[in-house]
Every structure is written in structure tokens, then in C-alpha cells.
Amino acid sequence: MQALHPPLEVVRSDSELYDPRDPATIDNPFPAFRRLRDEAPVYELAREQIWVISRYADVEAGMMDWRTFSSAQGNVIYEDPARIGRTLTTNDPPRHDQLRRLIGAGYTPGRVKAHEARIEQLVDDLLAKVDPTGFDFVSEFAGPLTGKVIGSLIGVPEEELERLRVAVDAAFVPTDEFPGGRGLGEVFAFMMDLVARRRRESRDDMLSAFLAAADNGVKMSDQDIAVTGGSILAAGFSSTAHTMSNILLGLFEAPDQRRLVLDDPSLIPNMIEEGLRYDVGTMSFGRQTTRDVELHGVTIPADSRVMLLLSSANRDERRFEDPDRFDLYRKEKRHISFNVGIHHCLGSSLARLEMRIAFEKLLAHLGEFSLNLDRSVRVQSLNFRGFRCLPVRAVS
């Protein structure tokens, strides 16, 4: 991977440019991201022993170069050891390719399209229950919606989803003992039990399809299937719901753009693509270097943990004009929020469908709206960016 800009000397003091655990940075990391891009596009978080790459061209190149920036030790910064080598996103080729073909069969255009009526009904049901004078967008709308959609795809009983959503939410909250969070152990244990049930009684769901593939030559142990299913569930819960809450905030903070989309709902697909660029729910991916990498005059040693900072790349002024503006008519739309290369998100078409239907119906239901940011609660994570609570109300 060649340096794409003049060399800069890396800044090694965590406190000078970027502290991902600082509450002010969690609330608004974008000024720090700009400083990283301008002053230290390769930056060492010394306390964390993590290297941060922040410019669009470099993040994109890192995603494409899986041989150098490997996912075999995990795709989040502090990887759960139970996931390593058991899922699509914690493998490189050739194992990755085999799993991608298997899992991709669940996300064909026909299968995704078949969920459209179900998503519309779920959104209608959720909106019928909320109080437009005040409700939590995350726990009363976005979270239940994304959970029920991905849960039905995998085969998780609906009555279990809220418990699992809470477990996923808690899994990535950092503590002194677990800097990346406690992990998805509770979710994986549930999935192991569900896999055993599907062995006894197959159904038309993803877990049953994995079991059938394992019986027909694709080598996946029951634990592999449980961890893969649990990881897909967690991604469906967190990434899509967080992105939806970020889009709602972006729209709220751009009243001119909000008025445009309220007046013309045909702009909602534009709004979603711009929202994905502006403030995506998956803030970063983790990788492991397989060799020394020289970039911008800095050497990242082999076997180093690397943070590919998507949220910074998508605001890079080298790629996007006026990147801190939420712009429904933006001409350059090539964000990298769903990853690029071999790890491009298989669920991206389903996520877009969910968000389109959800916002079409939500904005028609609310009309002009307001957010109570004083009562909102941000997600604390090195990988995800979004809200655990985001109060919203219609404004008459």
C-alpha cells in the first residue's frame, strides 16, 4: 500500500488529537477526525496499542487489501475470542469465500424483496403503538423493527428478541476489565440452544439453511453456526438501528434539508445514502497487519491492530465537497459505510429497504418533529456510533 499524500510524522500522544473514550469526542468526534486527517493520518493510540487510519483513500485501500489488513483476528477493534475463525467477518479467503457464498444465499434480491410486505406491516404496527407527542425512537421503533426483521431471517422466536437486543446493547459497552465490552456470550449461548432445536426440527430460516449446508459438505460446526447466527443478529440490531438514529439527528440538525424531504418523500433514498455517509452506525472496522506497512512516512509494524475509521473517511474533504454538510442533492455518493472489497456487507440491500420503508412511514406519521437531545444517550463503543435513547416528538 503506497503513501497517497506527502509524508507526515505520526503523533503518538493519545490526548493530543484523538481520545475515543472521551465523552465530548463520543458526542461529536468529527473535529478530532478532521485533525487526524490533516495532522496525523496514521496515528497511534499508544495506551490501546491500536493504529488509526482516517483518510478516505487509505481506509478504502485498507479494506481492499485483505492480504495486508487481515480480518482473521476479527473485524472489531477488541474482538470476542469466541468469534475468531467462526464467522464470515473473522476469516480471510479461502474460508471467507466459502462462507460468503453460503450466507449470501440468504440475501439474494428475491429473498430481500420478499421481506418488503413484512417490513411495511411491522412499521405500521410500531407506529400505531407510539405516542407522537413523545417516544424513544430507539427502543420503541428502530430497535424493535431491525430486530424483528433480522430475527425472522435467522429464525429467532419473536418473544426472545427484546432480551437479545438488550444483551447485544450491553455486549459492546467498554469497561476497565473489558475495553471492548463483555462480548456476545449470552447471545451465542442462546443460539447454540436454537441450533439444537433446528437440528430436531428444520424450518425455512437461515440457521436451518446453515445446518443443511453443513450436512451437504460445507464444514460448519454447530458452534460455527451459532456464532455466525449471533453475529448476524447483533449486526442487524446495532448497525441499522444506530444508522437510523444518526440519520434522524442529521435531518433534525439540517432544517432546510428536513423541509425538502418532508415536502418531497421521493428524496428519502437520497436522504438514506447521505445519512450513511454523514454519520454511519458502524464507525470503524478492526484489522490486523500481516507485514510492516509504510504509509505517510510512518511504519505500522506487522501484527498490529488497526482501526479503519469509516466515519472519518466519509467526512474527508479530499473526497467530498463540504463534507460536514448534510446534503440531499450531493453529487458524490460513494461512501464506504457498507465496506468495500471482499467484506462488502451482504445485508446492505436489506438495510436500505428497512430504512426506506421506515422513514417513508415515520416522516408521514410525524411530519415536522423535534428531538430532545438533553435526554438522549449515546452508544459508547470503539466500533459503533449511535444512540441507546433518542426521544422524538411531532411538532404541530
Side-chain angles (χ1 to χ4, degrees):
M1 187 175 179
Q2 301 298 315
L4 301 174
H5 301 280
L8 295 175
E9 184 176 348
V10 69
V11 178
R12 294 183 178 275
S13 171
D14 292 0
S15 62
E16 285 188 38
L17 287 185
Y18 181 48
D19 179 0
R21 302 188 188 281
D22 177 67
T25 301
I26 291 170
D27 185 58
N28 179 16
F30 297 105
F33 291 168
R34 179 182 285 272
R35 290 191 64 196
L36 285 177
R37 294 191 302 269
D38 290 346
E39 301 176 36
V42 179
Y43 180 77
E44 185 185 21
L45 290 170
R47 291 194 305 270
E48 310 270 0
Q49 295 185 311
I50 294 168
W51 292 84
V52 180
I53 295 177
S54 54
R55 288 183 181 173
Y56 182 103
D58 301 331
V59 172
E60 182 184 46
M63 289 179 175
M64 296 294 293
D65 186 3
W66 61 265
R67 290 179 176 85
T68 301
F69 293 89
S70 169
S71 297
Q73 296 303 312
N75 75 323
V76 297
I77 304 305
Y78 289 97
E79 187 58 81
D80 186 336
R83 283 180 11 102
I84 293 175
R86 296 193 178 279
T87 72
L88 174 67
T89 55
T90 62
N91 274 286
D92 294 326
R95 177 62 169 166
H96 165 275
D97 298 343
Q98 184 184 49
L99 293 175
R100 188 173 182 88
R101 285 191 295 271
L102 172 60
I103 296 169
Y107 291 103
T108 62
R111 281 184 173 267
V112 170
K113 180 68 174 176
H115 285 274
E116 187 166 2
R118 164 75 168 154
I119 295 170
E120 289 178 346
Q121 187 60 58
L122 285 172
V123 173
D124 287 341
D125 291 345
L126 288 167
L127 289 177
K129 295 176 183 176
V130 300
D131 179 356
T133 64
F135 67 97
D136 177 23
F137 178 76
V138 178
S139 66
E140 295 183 64
F141 185 71
L145 172 63
T146 56
K148 288 178 180 180
V149 171
I150 195 65
S152 66
L153 191 69
I154 296 169
V156 177
E158 191 167 310
E159 64 270 15
E160 300 286 355
L161 286 171
E162 179 58 21
R163 175 170 70 87
L164 293 172
R165 186 186 70 82
V166 172
V168 169
D169 223 17
F172 300 102
V173 177
T175 65
D176 290 341
E177 185 179 1
F178 301 101
R182 293 182 175 274
L184 292 164
E186 181 181 345
V187 177
F188 296 154
F190 170 83
M191 284 292 175
M192 279 296 291
D193 178 69
L194 190 57
V195 168
R197 283 186 266 167
R198 291 295 176 267
R199 278 213 174 276
R200 296 191 297 269
E201 181 184 353
S202 179
R203 296 187 181 180
D204 183 20
D205 58 36
M206 195 175 279
L207 288 187
S208 298
F210 293 164
L211 285 166
D215 291 340
N216 289 299
V218 179
K219 295 180 180 179
M220 290 184 79
S221 68
D222 284 8
Q223 189 173 2
D224 291 341
I225 293 170
V227 170
T228 294
S231 298
I232 294 170
L233 182 72
F237 264 132
S238 52
S239 299
T240 308
H242 292 335
T243 298
M244 288 173 66
S245 64
N246 292 344
I247 290 174
L248 196 68
L249 176 63
L251 205 59
F252 175 66
E253 293 182 332
D256 59 329
Q257 303 300 291
R258 183 172 73 250
R259 193 66 261 163
L260 286 173
V261 78
L262 287 173
D263 290 342
D264 182 4
S266 71
L267 289 171
I268 285 174
N270 292 34
M271 180 195 77
I272 290 168
E273 293 308 308
E274 176 66 348
L276 283 162
R277 181 202 67 84
Y278 186 77
D279 198 0
V280 68
T282 304
M283 183 172 65
S284 67
F285 284 114
R287 296 290 190 266
Q288 192 98 351
T289 53
T290 59
R291 60 174 177 83
D292 289 356
V293 177
E294 184 175 345
L295 187 62
H296 301 294
V298 176
T299 299
I300 304 174
D303 298 319
S304 293
R305 204 73 186 132
V306 173
M307 178 190 292
L308 299 176
L309 200 51
L310 275 67
S311 289
S312 173
N314 281 333
R315 294 280 191 106
D316 190 348
E317 54 285 323
R318 296 157 190 82
R319 180 72 187 197
F320 300 99
E321 184 179 349
D322 196 9
D324 294 326
R325 172 173 165 75
F326 193 97
D327 183 0
L328 296 179
Y329 290 102
R330 182 174 298 279
K331 294 179 181 178
E332 176 55 81
K333 301 180 186 299
R334 195 165 182 267
H335 61 75
I336 50 177
S337 299
F338 286 124
N339 213 321
V340 293
I342 66 169
H343 288 293
H344 180 266
C345 177
L346 284 170
S348 59
S349 57
L350 180 63
R352 284 185 168 105
L353 178 66
E354 283 182 75
M355 290 191 285
R356 177 182 63 77
I357 294 171
F359 279 112
E360 283 176 352
K361 291 179 175 289
L362 176 75
L363 295 179
H365 185 77
L366 290 179
E368 190 61 71
F369 66 89
S370 177
L371 301 179
N372 187 341
L373 297 179
D374 290 337
R375 291 183 51 228
S376 66
V377 180
R378 278 277 182 190
V379 170
Q380 297 184 41
S381 171
L382 295 181
N383 298 104
F384 299 111
R385 176 167 167 76
F387 289 88
R388 300 181 71 179
C389 174
L390 184 62
V392 59
R393 67 178 179 88
V395 176
S396 55

